[in-house]
Amino acid sequence: MSVHCAYFDAQRCRSCSDIELPYADQLARKQLGLQKQLADWPDLHWLPPVASAVRGFRSKAKMAVGGSVESPTLGLLDAQGHAEDLADCLLYPPALSIAFSPIKRFIGVARLTPYDITSRRGELKFVLLTLAENSGELMLRFVLRSREALGRMQLALPSLRANLPQLRVISVNLQPVPAAIIEGSEEIALSECQHLRIELNGVPFFLRPRGFFQTNQPVAAALYRQAQDWVSHCAPTRVWDLFCGVGGFAAHCSDESRAVHGIELSEEAIEGARLCASEMGLPKLTFEARDAAAQLTFPVDGCPDLVIVNPPRRGIGGDLCAALDSSSVGWLIYSSCNPVSLAADLRRMPSLQPREARLLDMFPHTSHSETLVLLERG
């Protein structure tokens, strides 16, 4: 089955570079490319790939703001600052896309001038929207150049809430720098609640405005179930989850008897992870805010039996690979969004042999996907 996109056909948006391919061919191409990257391990057992829905699968929208106060656009800006409105993009589910019109009206009511790249004038740069698919609740963030519009926004918030009652979290992110970065370091709360509750597989997660959560929630649920299945099979008593984020893997792999410890640099993410552990009533599920990439030693006493890593695209790097390779860790579960860095890291850990792997298609119509690999000390 292939998907027809008017934006792509008119060359107004080319983000979904593979959308003209039938989806089965997309999935087969990704699987073949991944197997080539991991060809050094011919005995690696491949589980069937996890497919995605081909439309309506994105639970997050990162929309550049263009146009004018009276007629704003939400979508893309080209190099010349020309705005392309993508409010009808087929990747967004109805529960997300219905928010765009009320947001545009709010931009007009609050007199939020879209930022102009060329002149470096204006205030509103991006609108960032996240959906909790289990509840339909939304997190809305406005990326502004300065605080100039805050007063007008606060006055106009009641009308926005009336038009969009699904809003749970509202905030402003300040990004004053004229550079190609989406958000800055300062977040200003406009709503009393600053956690979006997202539930996957019956596990609650609490996402704060600057936190990360997977874009494709159904495939993320499958990712966590696969890791959960491997952990149950390995039956470790102690698990460490490095780069744990809001605790997705850790929470799925914890129970009343197993000690699971998550490590993540972001204190906001750790705050959400601890809320998850508290709601689940799991005292042996603990979290710590520090740099997981700096975990260069594993204790002899109390060493984890199994470690989970979910690093950014650059991978875990040589130092952490060396520490894992020389440790007594019996199993490693590696979640990767980059097959190149994944293969490089696996080569750095010859004592841990890849046994089983699975492709999970988080990003249909593109060349990107997620890979989960189970390694065992050989």
Side-chain angles (χ1 to χ4, degrees):
M1 180 179 72
S2 57
V3 177
H4 172 74
C5 175
Y7 292 118
F8 188 90
D9 293 344
Q11 299 191 17
R12 294 162 61 191
C13 174
R14 309 295 283 186
S15 299
C16 295
S17 56
D18 295 339
I19 199 167
E20 292 182 311
L21 282 176
Y23 183 60
D25 293 346
Q26 293 182 35
L27 205 57
R29 175 189 286 188
K30 290 182 182 184
Q31 181 72 37
L32 180 60
L34 182 56
Q35 288 176 332
K36 286 182 178 179
Q37 285 289 341
L38 302 186
D40 288 354
W41 299 275
D43 295 332
L44 179 59
H45 174 64
W46 288 92
L47 296 170
V50 174
S52 169
V54 297
R55 60 179 72 223
F57 57 83
R58 287 192 64 93
S59 61
K60 293 192 292 188
K62 296 182 179 181
M63 311 294 268
V65 183
S68 63
V69 171
E70 296 77 15
S71 184
T73 63
L74 300 177
L76 295 175
L77 297 178
D78 62 22
Q80 290 72 43
H82 175 265
E84 186 64 62
D85 193 278
L86 300 180
D88 295 325
C89 175
L90 58 83
L91 302 189
Y92 299 126
L96 189 68
S97 58
I98 59 172
F100 296 142
S101 290
I103 291 170
K104 288 179 180 179
R105 290 198 295 272
F106 176 78
I107 290 171
V109 172
R111 308 298 295 173
L112 301 178
T113 307
Y115 181 75
D116 182 80
I117 296 174
T118 305
S119 67
R120 296 185 178 180
R121 294 180 178 177
E123 287 297 319
L124 181 57
K125 295 184 175 183
F126 294 94
V127 165
L128 310 178
L129 194 63
T130 303
L131 167 71
E133 293 192 11
N134 59 290
S135 66
E137 291 185 332
L138 296 166
M139 174 188 291
L140 173 60
R141 303 169 66 209
F142 297 93
V143 181
L144 300 181
R145 186 180 67 159
S146 74
R147 296 171 177 264
E148 184 271 336
L150 282 177
R152 298 193 304 276
M153 294 177 71
Q154 289 168 336
L155 288 174
L157 274 181
S159 66
L160 177 61
R161 288 188 175 279
N163 292 323
L164 201 55
Q166 307 95 310
L167 279 178
R168 178 70 172 169
V169 179
I170 311 170
S171 68
V172 163
N173 179 271
L174 294 182
Q175 204 293 81
V177 182
I181 53 176
I182 291 181
E183 58 186 89
S185 59
E186 184 176 0
E187 199 83 17
I188 301 170
L190 296 185
S191 60
E192 182 177 352
C193 177
Q194 285 291 289
H195 287 100
L196 182 66
R197 189 183 191 277
I198 301 174
E199 190 171 303
L200 298 182
N201 303 318
V203 178
F205 300 104
F206 298 87
L207 182 67
R208 286 183 60 85
R210 296 183 63 215
F212 170 79
F213 204 79
Q214 295 285 5
T215 297
N216 192 324
Q217 291 180 17
V219 177
L223 177 78
Y224 295 139
R225 288 195 301 270
Q226 181 60 66
Q228 187 180 51
D229 181 68
W230 282 341
V231 170
S232 296
H233 177 75
C234 296
T237 58
R238 290 182 299 274
V239 174
W240 284 9
D241 181 6
L242 306 183
F243 313 93
C244 70
V246 294
F249 286 108
H252 277 82
C253 298
S254 182
D255 59 28
E256 294 180 355
S257 61
R258 181 179 299 125
V260 179
H261 186 61
I263 299 173
E264 163 64 45
L265 183 60
S266 167
E267 292 189 7
E268 284 193 349
I270 289 299
E271 180 185 339
R274 286 171 175 159
L275 284 174
C276 170
S278 176
E279 181 162 323
M280 293 181 71
L282 294 172
K284 290 190 175 182
L285 175 58
T286 58
F287 294 96
E288 179 182 3
R290 63 180 174 86
D291 188 0
Q295 183 62 51
L296 304 182
T297 59
F298 290 85
V300 176
D301 294 329
C303 183
D305 309 298
L306 184 147
V307 171
I308 302 168
V309 295
N310 184 24
R313 287 189 60 80
R314 65 179 179 271
I316 63 175
D319 291 341
L320 181 50
C321 284
L324 283 163
D325 190 64
S326 62
S327 74
S328 62
V329 171
W331 296 275
L332 175 68
I333 295 177
Y334 195 132
S335 181
S336 170
C337 61
N338 183 356
V340 176
S341 61
L342 169 63
D345 283 344
L346 296 188
R347 293 187 191 100
R348 295 181 177 118
M349 298 182 288
S351 298
L352 291 160
Q353 289 299 305
R355 301 299 189 199
E356 206 161 52
R358 193 167 204 177
L359 181 151
L360 299 101
D361 194 15
M362 292 278 188
F363 315 102
H365 317 313
T366 75
S367 60
H368 304 292
S369 60
E370 192 83 8
T371 309
L372 201 63
V373 183
L374 173 66
L375 297 92
E376 182 180 9
R377 189 164 297 279

